[in-house]
Amino acid sequence: MTECFVGIDTSNYTTSAAICTKDGEIVANLKLPLPVKAGECGLRQSDAVFAHVKNLPQLMERLAESLQGMKPVAVGVSATPRPLEGSYMPCFLSGIAAAQSFAAAAHIPLLRFSHQEGHIMAAAYSAGAMHLLDAERFAAFHVSGGTTEVLLATPHPRGFDIELFSATADINAGQAIDRIGVMLGLDFPCGKELEKLAEKNTKKIPKSRISVKDGYCNLSGLENMAAKLWQESGDAALVAAFTLQFIGDTLVAMTGELDARIPSLPIVYAGGVMSNRYLQARLGERKNTYFAEPQFSADNAAGIALLCRKQFLKI
């Protein structure tokens, strides 16, 4: 039987499982979204935990089907949001319980990682940038509903040592997109629909008045600006285009400040927000820049499976 590695991730919005071969190929990237009521912009942690508990049996059945003819030799799990002491979110307890049960039943080791490390690893894999794992360090933008951070990542056999370079000073980019999207009547999560809506815009987009200082950004003002534009114009496509332009301008400015302080560092962009093609086009003009494919950019367990392989094989 073909040996493989299993990854499990239970983020605040998606229940995920993945399979990685011994050769480092992702052969299954399975996901189930967590349900969010219409008009709401997210889930409380208690609701997320309950949703994962409901999702996991179905997802594990799909995982079992994908594992036919394969032999897991280790299982990895997202145990914390970040690789920092004290980093904690209750939703990851669901994944730990499932992974620990899986590992015990199969008599294989359980390896723990952070959700953030998984995002970085999945992005590097999907973008064809696995060579960065041999670099002294590289930069990673983690841009999602729960995080807007610029990180300095130093690879090591267990994953990554991560140093925070800069971040948002208030809300996250994904939060702003979802709040504005819900205001426009879109379904949560709103990223894909907002991108499609923005593509329909034919009007001149108002100039973004972004706030980036010492690498740190402020995004809370975007929600008020978008609400004012929506009230004045009634044009959903224009508001969507303005929202993405604002976030794009902000990320370009944060990238510029990184380049000013640490020139020529490779950058990987990860997180659900970075699956947006408009943002990729804006930021992709820079050399030595990498983006994940959408299925590996949004929440997934592929990066955890890859990290599990890396640590188990000590490569």
Side-chain angles (χ1 to χ4, degrees):
M1 298 181 75
T2 302
E3 292 186 342
C4 68
F5 302 88
V6 171
I8 295 174
D9 182 275
T10 48
S11 71
N12 209 40
Y13 299 114
T14 310
T15 315
S16 307
I19 303 170
C20 172
T21 67
K22 201 169 183 179
D23 293 331
E25 179 187 1
I26 296 296
V27 293
N29 189 15
L30 312 173
K31 304 182 186 184
L32 280 175
L34 305 189
V36 178
K37 293 180 181 178
E40 294 188 0
C41 295
L43 289 171
R44 295 178 299 179
Q45 279 293 297
S46 57
D47 293 332
V49 170
F50 181 66
H52 282 307
V53 169
K54 293 179 67 176
N55 274 356
L56 278 165
Q58 180 182 344
L59 191 72
M60 297 305 280
E61 286 181 1
R62 290 171 56 190
L63 178 65
E65 292 174 2
S66 299
L67 282 169
Q68 291 185 16
M70 307 187 81
K71 178 185 176 182
V73 294
V75 58
V77 65
S78 295
T80 61
R82 297 173 176 82
L84 301 171
E85 185 176 351
S87 181
Y88 169 76
M89 283 180 69
C91 61
F92 292 111
L93 295 175
S94 310
I96 293 170
Q100 196 161 349
S101 299
F102 185 101
H107 303 287
I108 58 177
L110 172 65
L111 306 177
R112 301 179 183 226
F113 305 95
S114 71
H115 177 74
Q116 193 167 68
E117 289 174 289
H119 264 301
I120 295 171
M121 190 66 161
Y125 170 84
S126 172
M130 293 294 276
H131 62 279
L132 294 181
L133 301 186
D134 297 320
E136 181 179 349
R137 69 174 175 173
F138 61 92
F141 276 65
H142 183 190
V143 188
S144 67
T147 308
T148 302
E149 295 180 342
V150 184
L151 311 164
L152 302 178
T154 301
H156 60 69
R158 300 181 311 281
F160 302 100
D161 285 328
I162 292 178
E163 176 187 349
L164 179 65
F165 179 84
S166 61
T168 177
D170 42 48
I171 68 171
N172 293 300
Q175 281 180 294
I177 287 172
D178 288 330
R179 290 178 183 182
I180 294 166
V182 169
M183 177 185 72
L184 298 177
L186 306 181
D187 292 330
F188 180 95
C190 306
K192 291 182 179 179
E193 286 190 71
L194 194 82
E195 183 177 2
K196 291 178 181 178
L197 191 57
E199 291 172 354
K200 298 178 182 179
N201 178 59
T202 58
K203 296 180 181 178
K204 183 178 179 180
I205 305 172
K207 185 178 179 180
S208 303
R209 301 192 302 276
I210 65 169
S211 173
V212 177
K213 185 177 180 181
D214 297 328
Y216 283 74
C217 69
N218 293 87
L219 293 169
S220 59
L222 169 58
E223 186 178 2
N224 294 330
M225 294 177 202
K228 184 173 183 292
L229 182 60
W230 174 234
Q231 185 178 20
E232 293 174 348
S233 69
D235 190 328
L238 177 62
V239 175
F242 171 77
T243 300
L244 294 183
Q245 176 183 271
F246 189 103
I247 292 174
D249 288 346
T250 298
L251 295 176
V252 166
M254 294 176 77
T255 301
E257 294 209 2
L258 173 66
D259 284 337
R261 291 172 58 184
I262 312 176
S264 304
L265 205 61
I267 298 179
V268 174
Y269 290 89
V273 171
M274 294 316 309
S275 63
N276 183 282
R277 298 301 184 185
Y278 167 80
L279 296 178
Q280 290 189 9
R282 288 288 309 278
L283 295 159
E285 297 173 4
R286 178 190 182 275
K287 294 181 180 180
N288 216 3
T289 297
Y290 303 91
F291 299 95
E293 291 298 318
Q295 66 268 33
F296 293 99
S297 190
D299 287 344
N300 67 87
I304 299 300
L306 287 161
L307 286 167
C308 181
R309 168 185 175 268
K310 178 178 171 62
Q311 182 171 327
F312 185 86
L313 298 178
K314 295 181 172 58
I315 56 176

